[in-house]
Amino acid sequence: MKIRNCLNPSKPSFSFEFFPPKTDAGVASLLRTVEELAPLEPGFVSVTYGAGGSTRDRTVELVTHIKQHTGIEAMAHLTCVGHTRDELRDVLRRLDAAGIENVLLLRGDPPQGQTTFEPVPGGFRYAEELVRFVREEDFNFCIGGACYPEGHVETASREDDLKHLKAKVDAGMDFVVTQLFFDNAFYFDFVERARRVGINVPIVPGIMPITNYEQVQRFTRMCGATVPMRLALQMERVKDQPDAVVQLGVAHATVQCMELLSRGVPGIHFYTLNKSPATRMIVGALKGRS
Ligand code: FAD
């Protein structure tokens, strides 16, 4: 199934993102998480692509396994980092041969210790080039990509970022998924600005329930997302009580999702960090099952 066909504001779908674990025990634990989340009937799940090393093969293996063994539609992420176009073609062919129909195409972050992204010789500098490549190579993938309601960390201005997003979408993207955000105002403003410049594909909000405040502070420092002052103060007060952090994180994300759904989003993508409880509580509540 092509994901673009399940992104529908009149029947929004929930989707879950995982990362490929480094160990076999981690893989077994992730597959248990997928099983625990399956009863929530996700529209699709996705598996990220590592910065390098062995987990990259695991992305292909995991999406293949999930699709074949659970019947849940599984999307592979793929980045330009460290790959020539021949290597990227090879990964895409493996995905295609395994029956994977959806890919999330990204540039990726600069390797650790580098501040600017340098492509390898024969590789790509921007996600837009990878999208164009996949379209020219005549693959039949449904293509997703990333977008940034608060602006990408490297961009000079949100306007520039939006201009680049428009070019990336025009190169052949079917939908985009947002970077995590904790204040829906960023999302609604972004969608309005995107529509004004002619970006018409579905814009799926990405939500990360806070379950560990230090971890979220690390993520937000890296990706530039803002934690609203009130939420930050509440988190500070309970940061030494793990259960209270989860309760607060789940409550905040649930309220975010309820508002997003009431205003007609095409779906909600959850950054699960390979754990099921928080996402289960939120989606359970949204589906009236809790
Ligand atoms: P691009 O769209 O190429 O943009 C990168 C920067 O370049 C932006 O600042 C943009 O404004 C600028 N730019 C784009 N085109 C041009 C141009 N023509 N001229 C000048 N500037 C330009 N990372 C991983 O490593 N693996 C993953 O699996 C992964 N999954 C992700 C999933 C989602 C939903 C999101 C939101 C992010 C994900 N990331 C992942 C992180 C992502 O790789 C980084 O945010 C990365 O820094 C940018 O990737 P991109 O595809 O958005 O890049």
Side-chain angles (χ1 to χ4, degrees):
M1 184 209 48
K2 301 278 199 274
I3 287 172
R4 61 172 169 259
N5 297 327
C6 82
L7 297 174
N8 180 352
S10 63
K11 198 170 179 287
S13 64
F14 298 112
S15 52
F16 307 135
E17 180 172 307
F18 308 113
F19 62 84
K22 289 199 173 77
T23 63
D24 290 344
V27 170
S29 161
L30 169 57
L31 293 176
R32 274 195 303 278
T33 296
V34 174
E35 253 174 54
E36 286 159 5
L37 290 171
L40 298 172
E41 299 168 343
F44 66 95
V45 299
S46 77
V47 181
T48 63
Y49 201 66
S54 63
T55 68
R56 292 186 142 188
D57 284 334
R58 282 218 157 107
T59 297
V60 179
E61 289 159 17
L62 277 166
V63 287
T64 306
H65 181 95
I66 292 170
K67 178 153 177 166
Q68 289 175 358
H69 289 82
T70 67
I72 300 172
E73 195 57 51
M75 170 170 73
H77 297 209
L78 180 61
T79 73
C80 305
V81 178
H83 278 319
T84 62
R85 65 186 63 204
D86 288 344
E87 289 165 350
L88 288 163
R89 185 188 295 110
D90 187 51
V91 179
L92 290 157
R93 281 194 179 145
R94 281 161 54 209
L95 290 167
D96 194 30
I100 299 303
E101 296 178 63
N102 303 279
V103 285
L104 194 87
L105 301 180
L106 304 132
R107 184 199 70 179
D109 286 320
Q112 240 173 12
Q114 294 175 25
T115 47
T116 52
F117 183 89
E118 285 304 327
V120 295
F124 298 120
R125 185 173 289 278
Y126 298 113
E128 177 193 339
E129 297 169 26
L130 177 57
V131 176
R132 189 159 290 122
F133 173 73
V134 174
R135 288 299 181 220
E136 280 167 9
E137 287 282 308
D138 223 18
F139 287 109
N140 188 24
F141 291 111
C142 171
I143 298 179
C147 64
Y148 304 85
E150 299 183 58
H152 182 254
V153 280
E154 291 166 34
T155 197
S157 73
R158 289 186 191 171
E159 287 65 37
D160 275 0
D161 206 32
L162 207 54
K163 198 174 77 195
H164 299 141
L165 177 63
K166 166 94 167 86
K168 181 163 81 169
V169 169
D170 288 349
M173 274 187 173
D174 295 298
F175 66 97
V176 287
V177 180
T178 76
Q179 182 59 277
L180 60 93
F181 57 88
F182 298 102
D183 180 347
N184 288 350
F186 286 116
Y187 173 82
F188 295 127
D189 173 66
F190 175 72
V191 172
E192 204 179 299
R193 289 187 294 116
R195 299 304 182 225
R196 266 207 304 268
V197 300
I199 297 170
N200 295 316
V201 294
I203 300 175
V204 182
I207 295 293
M208 180 184 281
I210 299 179
T211 54
N212 174 326
Y213 191 45
E214 271 103 56
Q215 187 185 46
V216 164
Q217 284 178 310
R218 237 185 4 260
F219 285 161
T220 51
R221 265 198 302 277
M222 278 181 330
C223 75
T226 307
V227 180
M229 180 69 85
R230 187 167 158 182
L231 179 61
L233 289 172
Q234 288 170 326
M235 282 288 171
E236 282 295 331
R237 262 210 314 270
V238 298
K239 67 178 179 204
D240 299 323
Q241 304 163 50
D243 289 349
V245 169
V246 173
Q247 277 174 22
L248 192 53
V250 166
H252 182 81
T254 306
V255 172
Q256 268 195 285
C257 292
M258 285 166 71
E259 187 189 26
L260 289 165
L261 291 169
S262 75
R263 292 185 54 179
V265 293
I268 299 181
H269 189 67
F270 288 92
Y271 294 104
T272 71
L273 300 179
N274 290 8
K275 305 241 183 336
S276 71
T279 305
R280 263 176 33 217
M281 282 189 266
I282 298 164
V283 179
L286 296 172
K287 288 184 163 217
R289 283 194 199 163
S290 60

